[in-house]
Amino acid sequence: MSVGTFSLVLHSHLPYYRKAGMWPFGEENLYEAMAETYLPLLVALEDLVEEGVSPKLTIGITPVLAEQLADEHLKVGFEKYVADIIERIEKDVHRYSAEGEREAAQWRSAEMRSEQLAAAIADWEQANAGDKPDVLSEAGDVLAALDALDRDFHRNIVDRPAGQGAGRPDASAPSASDSGLPPGGNPEKVPQGARGVTESSPLSSFGVGAGASAIAGQPSHPVDCEVTVAGLAQAVAETEARAGAAETQGELGRVVLTPATPPTLDDIPEVPLTVPEQPDPRAELSKWYLDWYRQRLSDFQERFGRDLLAAFRRLQEQGAIEIITCAATHGFSPLFSRDSTLNAQYSVAVQTHERHFGRRPTGVWLPECAYRPGYEDARDYRPPVEQFLHAQGLKYFFTDAHAVVGGKTSGYRRHIGLYGNIEFLEMPERPLSGLDTFHGYWLPEHPVAFYARNERAGWQVWSADMGYPGDPWYREFHKRDGNSGMSYWRITGSHCELHDKDFYNPQMALQRIHEHSDHYVSLIHDMLKGYQDANGEPGHVVVPFDTELFGHWWFEGIEWIKQVVRKMAQGSGIRRVTIGELHTDAPPTHAFQLPESSWGAGGHYHVWMNPEVEWMWPIIHRCERRMEELVRMYPEPPSSLIARGLAQAARELLLLEGSDWPFLVTTGQARTYAIDRFNEHVERFDALADGLMTGAVSAETLESCEGIDNLFPDIDYRLFADRQEAAGRTR
């Protein structure tokens, strides 16, 4: 017996990133979502269908996201992105292996020796900074003394004329001159007055030749002193020691005096290698990730043929899911000043949806769940948002619980993912309506229904304190490996600092998914049974989420969805339906006027209209009016160039109207990027409008804009025709 029905609604949306940067904001944001969310989700849904389980999810895909998923430039970019990740992980596999650890230890050892060498050189330079001139001067003095000694030796002994003592010795026999000593081998004293050293000098055998005094930088002059040979040898030895450069070169006994030299790496002892005793957990994690990303690339190229939209379309045609749409560029509907903008946003949305998925949608996701009832100002009547939905055949949308139930707004959504930086503002408490979220409701003016989020069912996922994504065993999103950028850590604890995180364990995370999916199925069953027991009729639980929460922010989230769907199908008593099926089989029976509201912080418009971003809205409103003027000027384009310019101006207007830009500024996560993107689209729009209004469209400017912002190829600029209603008109 069924206890009631359940609908899981996923809202898939990203800003327009094509050719607008790469990282940390730009195309890589799309590629991350494709790899971690959209591809795994498609795999999970197809796996369930193959098991005989129809998932019955309601999946919103915004037109601006659909256009990007279908774009060839972005498909190629995604393939390069995943290939790059695989290459980085392959390096991690080696880096954290036993061999890689040894190489790292060797590198650390070499680095330590290099640091020690640098310190030794610095010490040497400091120690020798003031000593070098003195050492060289002393060495020069000694060499000059040697020079004078040799000259005196030649004059008084070797070259003495015959008859005045022993002359030049016979070349056939050893002589005192060959031994380097005075005649008779007496080393007592060497006479003064020597003036030169020749190759035949007794000192030449020690490598001190005629150029010695020039090398020392000293003039040749008599030495006015008496030097013993023993004293000379001692002086040379002392000078060499002070210079720190005594070395033997060439033949034995040849002494060369050189300046002191700095230490080299050979002077630094080896540093023992330190290899961890236990293997690094990243050794196995990197292999696990390598398989995971290789599978994602294979899924994209082979399983889905590089066409994710076609895969979603097949699932819808099988009845496994329902695909709904959204405003063309996720524009914040209540704050536009012109009805022409609302008409264009939802008309382009339906046309784009039909082009990609082969049928017109019946459901729509209001951007940020932002609703505005009709009202009159001093001059105009502003119709309620549902008037534009009804005109496009859209039958239902979604809102947050507080808009139906009343009381205080819930704040759980602010804790997760992109919403973590939003300041939570309490909306003034409204009287309780007495209504609940177990049923849908009609709006009073037009036959359009809305379904509200079940707060308890949503809170179990979104809550920072009690929600599943914060479990200590799940993967930590914010800590990345410094080399590859991979997430190798787990949450560990709600107050755990990043540097204290433990390593991720996929097996333990999978066990927690089993436990959490069991808990969630029991929770939904008990809620529905409790409602049925209390009211005597079945109720319905709707839980809408941002799709990117699953897989991207909460890595294990896709597997959690898969297990929840499977377990609900196994005799839980919970009947899963898409919202379209619910709306057809059990349409609302009551009407309720929804107040101004959103699912943002505080439940109102603050995130998109506050002091940080209020400057954007006058610019948006000016561009809205300017586009209406272009339509008035050109009811029919006179040339193909003008037609292209008008279509591109319409694209740029839709892009500058996206709710992403004020949202990213308010959250502070991409403030500069969002402001730059907003201004770029405004500049392109104004440049095109200037040329169109003067009849001088720049082909170069137009081609540049078309090359970047090429979405909505069949857009009709006349959708922006003025359609404002005057206040007081009978409607």
Side-chain angles (χ1 to χ4, degrees):
M1 294 291 294
S2 172
V3 295
T5 51
F6 173 81
S7 293
L8 178 60
V9 181
L10 300 178
H11 169 55
S12 314
H13 169 67
L14 288 174
Y16 191 68
Y17 285 129
R18 185 180 189 272
K19 296 186 178 181
M22 188 61 68
W23 187 91
F25 309 107
E27 290 183 8
E28 281 203 8
N29 293 62
L30 172 66
Y31 303 150
E32 286 178 343
M34 290 172 67
E36 298 173 352
T37 297
Y38 307 145
L39 272 166
L41 176 61
L42 281 169
V43 170
L45 295 175
E46 286 198 347
D47 286 350
L48 287 168
V49 171
E50 291 175 3
E51 295 174 15
V53 176
S54 187
K56 296 297 182 181
L57 269 59
T58 302
I59 300 177
I61 300 178
T62 62
V64 68
L65 174 60
E67 293 288 74
Q68 293 180 89
L69 293 177
D71 186 86
E72 182 62 25
H73 166 80
L74 293 171
K75 290 180 181 181
V76 172
F78 174 72
E79 291 169 323
K80 292 179 179 178
Y81 165 80
V82 179
D84 177 66
I85 288 182
I86 290 173
E87 182 179 348
R88 285 186 272 133
I89 298 176
E90 287 173 339
K91 293 179 181 178
D92 273 3
V93 170
H94 174 73
R95 180 181 294 112
Y96 298 119
S97 66
E99 181 183 356
E101 290 283 7
R102 284 193 298 272
E103 291 177 359
Q106 292 171 345
W107 183 87
R108 290 192 296 269
S109 174
E111 184 180 43
M112 291 176 65
R113 291 186 69 202
S114 297
E115 292 173 353
Q116 293 174 9
L117 175 60
I121 291 174
D123 292 343
W124 176 86
E125 290 176 343
Q126 182 177 4
N128 289 276
D131 294 342
K132 286 184 179 179
D134 294 336
V135 170
L136 292 175
S137 176
E138 292 176 19
D141 291 343
V142 172
L143 291 172
L146 291 174
D147 190 11
L149 173 66
D150 194 55
R151 287 195 299 272
D152 197 43
F153 182 83
H154 270 268
R155 187 180 69 234
N156 296 319
I157 299 177
V158 178
D159 296 330
R160 181 179 295 175
Q164 296 183 8
R168 181 173 292 275
D170 189 295
S172 62
S175 67
S177 64
D178 292 327
S179 67
L181 297 175
N186 185 359
E188 291 298 322
K189 291 186 179 181
V190 178
Q192 303 178 33
R195 297 193 58 81
V197 179
T198 67
E199 290 299 323
S200 60
S201 166
L203 294 178
S204 66
S205 64
F206 289 94
V208 181
S213 39
I215 293 174
Q218 300 294 327
S220 178
H221 59 81
V223 179
D224 193 20
C225 63
E226 191 175 46
V227 183
T228 66
V229 172
L232 180 62
Q234 182 179 356
V236 170
E238 290 176 353
T239 302
E240 290 174 347
R242 284 194 298 271
E247 56 185 71
T248 302
Q249 297 180 355
E251 65 273 13
L252 183 63
R254 181 182 180 203
V255 177
V256 179
L257 298 179
T258 63
T261 57
T264 66
L265 192 60
D266 292 336
D267 301 318
I268 306 300
E270 293 286 342
V271 176
L273 300 183
T274 303
V275 180
E277 295 182 2
Q278 299 296 326
D280 193 309
R282 286 170 288 190
E284 293 303 316
L285 276 172
S286 58
K287 295 177 185 177
W288 184 83
Y289 269 126
L290 185 59
D291 292 340
W292 196 90
Y293 275 99
R294 283 174 174 170
Q295 187 61 53
R296 295 293 78 76
L297 187 58
S298 175
D299 290 337
F300 179 71
Q301 294 176 331
E302 299 173 20
R303 184 167 185 168
F304 301 120
R306 303 175 76 246
D307 193 344
L308 302 190
L309 296 183
F312 280 114
R313 179 173 176 170
R314 285 193 300 272
L315 286 166
Q316 178 169 249
E317 291 169 349
Q318 295 168 357
I321 64 172
E322 177 190 8
I323 306 174
I324 62 174
T325 192
C326 182
T329 55
H330 212 261
F332 196 82
S333 303
L335 295 181
F336 293 128
S337 68
R338 309 298 294 173
D339 294 345
S340 59
T341 293
L342 289 168
N343 178 66
Q345 282 277 354
Y346 290 102
S347 295
V348 171
V350 170
Q351 294 168 7
T352 303
H353 186 98
E354 187 172 13
R355 174 162 51 87
H356 287 302
F357 302 114
R359 66 176 71 170
R360 294 175 70 87
T362 56
V364 61
W365 182 277
L366 293 184
E368 316 299 353
C369 291
Y371 175 78
R372 182 203 73 199
Y375 69 93
E376 289 188 0
D377 59 21
R379 188 177 58 183
D380 296 331
Y381 168 71
R382 303 306 311 284
V385 170
E386 70 268 20
Q387 175 174 309
F388 303 95
L389 308 182
H390 177 63
Q392 298 300 322
L394 297 168
K395 302 182 183 303
Y396 56 85
F397 62 90
F398 303 89
T399 189
D400 212 344
H402 68 87
V404 174
V405 177
K408 288 187 175 182
T409 60
S410 57
Y412 47 79
R413 190 172 188 264
R414 70 188 187 277
H415 296 297
I416 303 296
L418 288 172
Y419 304 91
N421 288 349
I422 296 178
E423 177 186 3
F424 179 64
L425 299 176
E426 288 284 356
M427 187 177 182
E429 184 171 354
R430 294 190 300 111
L432 294 176
S433 65
L435 303 177
D436 57 56
T437 61
F438 286 90
H439 296 283
Y441 300 92
W442 293 107
L443 287 162
E445 282 199 50
H446 300 277
V448 176
F450 61 89
Y451 296 86
R453 177 212 301 268
N454 184 288
E455 187 170 17
R456 177 68 182 89
W459 175 85
Q460 185 59 61
V461 175
W462 280 121
S463 170
D465 299 320
M466 301 297 293
Y468 303 136
D471 187 87
W473 287 100
Y474 289 148
R475 191 183 76 168
E476 170 62 59
F477 176 85
H478 295 95
K479 185 172 183 177
R480 305 295 179 98
D481 185 87
N483 294 302
S484 64
M486 298 310 300
S487 299
Y488 288 124
W489 292 268
R490 62 185 178 91
I491 292 172
T492 308
S494 58
H495 302 292
C496 181
E497 299 294 336
L498 288 180
H499 59 270
D500 292 327
K501 300 290 184 180
D502 292 333
F503 284 108
Y504 182 58
N505 186 321
Q507 290 72 35
M508 285 300 300
L510 183 61
Q511 179 178 325
R512 296 299 287 159
I513 295 169
H514 282 295
E515 295 168 4
H516 288 152
S517 57
D518 284 340
H519 177 267
Y520 198 73
V521 172
S522 296
L523 171 69
I524 301 302
H525 177 275
D526 292 346
M527 290 172 59
L528 288 171
K529 189 172 188 307
Y531 182 85
Q532 186 179 56
D533 291 346
N535 296 276
E537 61 179 3
H540 183 76
V541 170
V542 177
V543 274
F545 300 103
D546 288 326
T547 310
E548 295 75 24
L549 165 66
F550 302 93
H552 179 57
W553 294 103
W554 178 19
F555 184 66
E556 301 78 9
I558 297 296
E559 180 63 26
W560 177 84
I561 290 175
K562 184 177 181 180
Q563 291 196 22
V564 165
V565 170
R566 181 187 290 133
K567 290 172 181 178
M568 283 188 176
Q570 295 172 347
S572 67
I574 303 170
R575 189 166 66 91
R576 292 161 295 101
V577 295
T578 67
I579 299 296
E581 291 171 337
L582 174 69
H583 189 73
T584 300
D585 298 340
T589 57
H590 296 83
F592 174 68
Q593 179 55 64
L594 200 62
E596 285 190 351
S597 55
S598 80
W599 76 343
H604 45 75
Y605 304 161
H606 172 79
V607 172
W608 300 270
M609 172 59 84
N610 60 71
E612 288 288 313
V613 297
E614 61 187 4
W615 60 272
M616 292 180 170
W617 289 101
I619 298 174
I620 294 173
H621 297 164
R622 172 182 64 79
C623 293
E624 288 182 275
R625 289 183 176 274
R626 202 168 193 203
M627 191 69 214
E628 288 181 347
E629 180 62 17
L630 288 173
V631 177
R632 188 193 63 78
M633 288 179 63
Y634 292 103
E636 293 293 334
S639 67
S640 61
L641 184 65
I642 295 294
R644 286 170 52 201
L646 289 165
Q648 192 62 38
R651 294 186 188 102
E652 301 297 343
L653 177 57
L654 288 173
L655 287 170
L656 71 88
E657 290 174 343
S659 70
D660 306 290
W661 316 134
F663 173 82
L664 291 172
V665 172
T666 299
T667 62
Q669 295 189 351
R671 186 178 190 279
T672 300
Y673 178 80
I675 291 173
D676 289 345
R677 289 294 311 279
F678 175 77
N679 287 333
E680 286 170 5
H681 291 301
V682 171
E683 290 168 5
R684 290 172 195 159
F685 173 80
D686 281 336
L688 292 166
D690 289 345
L692 290 164
M693 287 183 171
T694 60
V697 179
S698 167
E700 182 179 357
T701 299
L702 177 56
E703 290 172 1
S704 175
C705 295
E706 290 174 331
I708 300 172
D709 302 328
N710 67 344
L711 72 177
F712 310 138
D714 302 324
I715 192 170
D716 184 353
Y717 70 95
R718 284 163 291 215
L719 292 171
F720 286 94
D722 181 7
R723 55 190 298 125
Q724 213 80 352
E725 296 185 41
R729 178 187 299 180
T730 301
R731 288 174 290 279

